Amino acid sequence: MRKKRGWLRPLWLVCCLTLSLTGHFAWSQATEGAIQGVVVTDSGEAIEAATVYVASPSLLGVRIVLTDKTGFFDVPCLPGGGYTLTAEKPGFKTNVLETVHLRPGMTAFLRVKLAATDQEEEISLGKISLAGDMTSSRQVMSMDKALINHLPIGRDFPSLLRAAPGAFSAGQEDDKNLSFLGSAWRNSTYRLDGINVTDNLTLRPLFSPDSAVVEELEVTSAAQTLAQTPAGGTHVNIITRSGGNEVSGDLGLNFVLDPWNKDLWTLSEMTEKGVPAVAGIKNHIEPFLSLGGPIWIDRAWFFLAGRFFRQSQESIFLGPFEDVRGQIHSGYDWWRRGLSGFFKVTARPINAAQITAWVNLTNGHQPVAEEPSSDIPFLSTHLLDKDNALALHGAAHYFLNQDTVVSARASYLRRTTLSLLQEQARSAFWSDDAGDRYGPLNGADYNAETFIEQLYGEASARKLVSAWGGMRHTLSAAFSYSQTTSSIDWWRENNLLLFFDHRRPDNRFYPDQGLLAFWLCGSAPETSLVRGQTQRLGGYVSDVVTLSRRLTLNLSLRLDRVWGGFSGARKATSANPLSYYVGEAVIKPYTQATYPEQFPSGLNPWSTLSFANRDDLISWLSLSPRLGLVVNLWGEGKSLLKASYARYRDDLTPRDLLPLHPLSPTQLSFFWLDANGDGRPDSQDEFSPLSLDFRSLSDAYFAERVDEDLSAPVTEEITVGLEQFIGRSLSLSFRLISRRESNIAADVLYHPDSGKTWSDALESEGNWIPFTTTVPANGDFPAQTVTLFARSLAAPPLFRQWRNVAELERKYRALELSVDKRMAQGWQLSATLILSKTEGNASGQPEPFSAVETRVIDPNYFVNRLGRLTSDRPVLLKLQAAVELPLGFLLSAFYQYQSGMPWERRARVLPPADWCVANGAERIYYPVYLEAAGSRREEGLSFLDSRLEKDFRLGENSRACLIIDVLNVLGQKRIISGLNDADIWEPLMEGKDQPGRLILAPDYQATKALLGKRALRFTLKLSF
């Protein structure tokens, strides 16, 4: 019996508190800002009942407020952009302040002086110097539209993200696996106007909008706002453009043509390295358009953007290649196409209300779903037959009075992908040769249709209390609900997997026996469909306390109840007759004898399997406090000291949930003895299952898959920063960030009968047998002695349970320096330097659904595991600049340097057969780190791209533009090769410095790919 969780009472209290505040507080969110200030006389006396007007091209109509008796005014719910503020009162000169720049989510504070006068129509004009946000401790790095439009980047979302502050990639040509600020890419969330658009299956953006949609891009490096779903890493927020009172837009073509690209490697060098081509772009064609304007002047605007693209890349497969089964694999073409469209409407039907809605549609197709690869044969790739996404968003604000506004917003997101095996491989079994550098050889993992649907709704409020306890308070509250439904429908006509190693006699995987497996799936669509749902219900309250404009405190608390479960599921009989035979002849009698209560008639996993609904398999309650401090050092908002503390609780995503279902993509493995010697598995051979507690395939034991005391992983964060603003266009910032993730959930070994875990060698005595060995030196690698743990034959059969693991942690420490010079005096600059350290023993990278070996925490996991994580980049430098040249030319550049990826020497150790017999140990490969994680590092990456553009005026409001991007200006070249030398170590006996056989990795020192291509990208654009 699982415990009942005591979440109802505290959640009910938060709901009541939120609802009670909704009528009294006003609303604020990270995408909208405010302009606050005081209106005073020349001598500093407050002016009551002065009228303040706020106007902007980004704003519908004009916002009008009156000052209170202290001269204070507040204009909330403003989109980012440039503003003009006008203050007036009879008996005083009207003061007009131009170019008040407001970042999304920022609160700007202005001190407006009115001079007494006898002339009613007298006006004074002034310009505002840059100042910071004196009310929020949030640490943000951003890119505005002016910079984005001029950078030498593509119009697609991945290209924009790659240019974002704090972003780094796994490789020079890798735009998909981006990480931010030391966090693993699973820990980043992507937002569009504050709405979470992260695909919680792939943990990447749900769709790729045109960069024309972007008004500003923000990277929140620390002190996340309560309105955002917690993330252990970084929030990336895109603020979308709105229309205006004038019609504007562009129409153009973006293209790269292969004849104009230049390979920086000679043909003789490529031949010497055995590489068919230099990796990188080949052709790219992309027509695009955008259009915005008024539907009703000052009352309703629209904006739309669309793009189509078709891109091809070089074939870098190292073929032709003949595999262990005699198949010939040759090179193949790679291309993809996509279509996206965005439409947004903003309306202000009455002065007190505003409504915004947008829709985004995307469609994609790739004959080869995987990225170009040197070692994946065409037969082993997928056809991405369908990749469709839809996103809808709506938001509304209503001003109850000058100090109070209530809001609501909702979103709906959906994505469907259909990934099929290549036609030639659909009836073949899966195979792989561990002895070659290729793989798999004969078919990708399986066919799959994935679906994700995300619903979100929020009601919120914010109220300004000008004088309460002698201080100014901004009180906020919100109540939100989100629901994510996801599914994976997977199938395979032939569910057999065969593992070879041509370095051994008869191509056996082990020295004395073979290895095979069977996918646990049906043979057609909807024969093994897993559907899950996660939900979050919660709310927050906060108070921003301002004392005399010199000190601001951010006090906030968020409470969430998170839960997830599954719909009923059923698997049909698998198609490969051998899998059904092995289930009947081997597994069924074993389970009937071993687990008579659960399987009185035995179990055949490849017959039909059924599982009931599990609506509340996982549930936790999370409380997230956040404290912030802002000190206005000199009282003018130009020098701000910011500090914060936050305790975030992780969200539950489908990526966490779906793998917990017994019918989620998995396979069961067997030792195989080819009894009849015909070289292929059949009913005359002998099969012995690897260790597995088959009760994990029982509906009665489904609940044991998750620890009943599971709680949300925790991220604790402390930050200190200094912001300095100089003049009207320059800002400098300095930040120290310390972040630690703990209480991390992972799969551990569990014994259902005792209710205890046995992943720790010390706490589960008798289940693990220590084995010490020395892996010999090789080349630059010294000899390394390690003690690993072999699994005892007397240990319980393997049963995985998802639970919090106290020993797992991730740490991030960083010093961030940034310079931001907005476009003025003909030039613009954005520079960021991040010096950091990312370490721990939990990578944070999600395990792929198709993993042949499932990652589980056991004693060998912790051997040498503590060290630098794969997301560690000690140095990350980004320089982005644009300068206006004579004759109307504009030159821009984007330079980036990042440290290389950490790595370490690893090996699979196979203990001696006689030692295993004598000690009762299971003789399998035991993967182990031979040295501390991240002990070595790849070569650092750098690149410089540049752009030259020239406008040609065609009329009063139209112009043509020619843009030329030069990619890889400095001619950077790089060889991608195998770094780790050791594949298998087979010692002859246990002990230090004992002899044995070291089998090298097949790709060790072998060239996988050559990087080094200079490309020209042209853009022809008509703007109006």
Side-chain angles (χ1 to χ4, degrees), residues 199 206-207 337 339 360-365 384-391 413-418 449-452:
D199 183 334
L206 189 77
F207 51 83
R337 62 167 172 78
L339 178 68
N360 193 92
L361 294 164
T362 60
N363 170 271
H365 175 85
L384 183 59
D385 194 50
K386 178 174 62 177
D387 186 358
N388 299 334
L390 166 68
L413 297 90
R414 183 182 69 205
R415 184 181 186 185
T416 303
T417 62
L418 178 61
E449 182 172 29
T450 60
F451 172 80
I452 185 166

Side-chain angles (χ1 to χ4, degrees), residues 734-814:
F734 163 92
R735 288 178 288 271
L736 291 172
I737 299 175
S738 175
R739 187 182 297 131
R740 179 178 181 268
E741 298 176 58
S742 61
N743 205 45
I744 297 170
D747 277 338
V748 302
L749 297 174
Y750 175 73
H751 189 208
D753 294 336
S754 66
K756 297 181 179 180
T757 63
W758 55 285
S759 290
D760 190 299
L762 297 178
E763 295 181 0
S764 54
E765 187 176 353
N767 293 327
W768 300 97
I769 305 166
F771 180 85
T772 300
T773 186
T774 300
V775 180
N778 179 58
D780 294 333
F781 297 96
Q784 285 144 328
T785 300
V786 295
T787 297
L788 56 88
F789 299 88
R791 193 161 56 232
S792 171
L793 294 174
L798 301 187
F799 189 107
R800 291 180 297 141
Q801 186 180 79
W802 200 49
R803 61 164 52 215
N804 303 112
V805 182
E807 295 82 4
L808 293 178
E809 68 173 0
R810 289 187 287 269
K811 294 180 181 179
Y812 176 69
R813 307 286 188 271

Side-chain angles (χ1 to χ4, degrees), residues 86-102:
T86 303
E88 66 177 18
K89 186 174 182 178
F92 294 88
K93 287 184 181 180
T94 298
N95 193 350
V96 179
L97 300 178
E98 297 179 336
T99 322
V100 179
H101 179 72
L102 189 68

Side-chain angles (χ1 to χ4, degrees), residues 659-820:
L660 301 177
H661 199 284
L663 295 183
S664 187
T666 190
Q667 71 279 324
L668 306 184
S669 301
F670 294 82
F671 292 119
W672 164 44
L673 183 62
D674 187 12
N676 59 10
D678 62 357
R680 59 178 181 271
D682 53 43
S683 60
Q684 299 178 23
D685 296 336
E686 297 178 13
F687 305 93
S688 175
L690 274 67
S691 177
L692 180 68
D693 191 327
F694 285 92
R695 290 176 294 182
S696 60
L697 300 179
S698 164
D699 187 54
Y701 275 72
F702 192 176
E704 299 291 338
R705 182 67 177 85
V706 178
D707 179 25
E708 63 182 4
D709 294 321
L710 183 75
S711 59
V714 176
T715 299
E716 288 191 286
E717 178 186 84
I718 300 175
T719 65
V720 177
L722 181 63
E723 298 177 359
Q724 179 66 52
F725 298 85
I726 303 171
R728 292 197 295 267
S729 60
L730 180 62
S731 64
L732 312 174
S733 63
F734 163 92
R735 288 178 288 271
L736 291 172
I737 299 175
S738 175
R739 187 182 297 131
R740 179 178 181 268
E741 298 176 58
S742 61
N743 205 45
I744 297 170
D747 277 338
V748 302
L749 297 174
Y750 175 73
H751 189 208
D753 294 336
S754 66
K756 297 181 179 180
T757 63
W758 55 285
S759 290
D760 190 299
L762 297 178
E763 295 181 0
S764 54
E765 187 176 353
N767 293 327
W768 300 97
I769 305 166
F771 180 85
T772 300
T773 186
T774 300
V775 180
N778 179 58
D780 294 333
F781 297 96
Q784 285 144 328
T785 300
V786 295
T787 297
L788 56 88
F789 299 88
R791 193 161 56 232
S792 171
L793 294 174
L798 301 187
F799 189 107
R800 291 180 297 141
Q801 186 180 79
W802 200 49
R803 61 164 52 215
N804 303 112
V805 182
E807 295 82 4
L808 293 178
E809 68 173 0
R810 289 187 287 269
K811 294 180 181 179
Y812 176 69
R813 307 286 188 271
L815 166 62
E816 298 177 3
L817 303 169
S818 62
V819 178
D820 185 16

